[in-house]
Amino acid sequence: QVQVVESGGGLVQPGGSLRLSCAASGTISKITAMAWYRQGPGKQRELVARISASGVVTYADSVKGRFTIYRDNAKNTVYLQMNSLIAEDTAVYYCNLDIFVGFGTRSTDWGQGTQVTVSS
């Protein structure tokens, strides 16, 4: 079983920055993709950023130019650097990994997430 633990959230003022971390543990053969999602109050969970095994990154339009996703493969960790935060970024942030399991890929179960609150 592979588990993920998110950390780094907190309360920040508009215009501030945070860096989220997601550490994976367990038996991992190959991570094919890493992604960050978020779910704001009364909203559906949405994809924020994704990085593929080859290093191709994608971002939601709402965070382009402000957020950066990057990874440390040796540590099985993915990060989300968030700059110029706005109130609309307030949400619980989750990470998710796609893992090769021999017959194909599967996604990790959702963790507890980490709360990001942007408020003055």
Side-chain angles (χ1 to χ4, degrees):
Q1 296 291 325
V2 178
Q3 296 181 327
V4 296
V5 178
E6 302 95 339
S7 63
L11 175 64
V12 64
Q13 294 183 338
S17 298
L18 285 173
R19 187 184 72 166
L20 307 184
S21 299
C22 172
S25 63
T27 302
I28 303 174
S29 59
K30 183 178 181 179
I31 298 174
T32 59
M34 299 175 171
W36 283 97
Y37 294 77
R38 68 185 181 187
Q39 186 169 22
K43 300 179 180 179
Q44 298 182 33
R45 199 195 315 268
E46 65 175 345
L47 177 66
V48 176
R50 183 191 301 273
I51 181 168
S52 72
S54 62
V56 177
V57 299
T58 57
Y59 297 97
D61 289 341
S62 59
V63 307
K64 287 181 179 177
R66 299 188 298 117
F67 290 11
T68 302
I69 185 171
Y70 62 101
R71 65 191 179 191
D72 185 337
N73 288 336
K75 297 180 179 179
N76 290 325
T77 300
V78 61
Y79 305 90
L80 185 68
Q81 178 66 47
M82 306 185 295
N83 299 325
S84 302
L85 286 162
I86 60 177
E88 289 75 15
D89 296 321
T90 296
V92 178
Y93 284 71
Y94 303 88
C95 71
N96 195 267
L97 280 57
D98 290 333
I99 302 173
F100 181 74
V101 294
F103 296 100
T105 60
R106 63 153 290 170
S107 298
T108 55
D109 294 334
W110 298 110
Q112 295 297 310
T114 185
Q115 176 72 49
V116 172
T117 302
V118 185
S119 177
S120 60

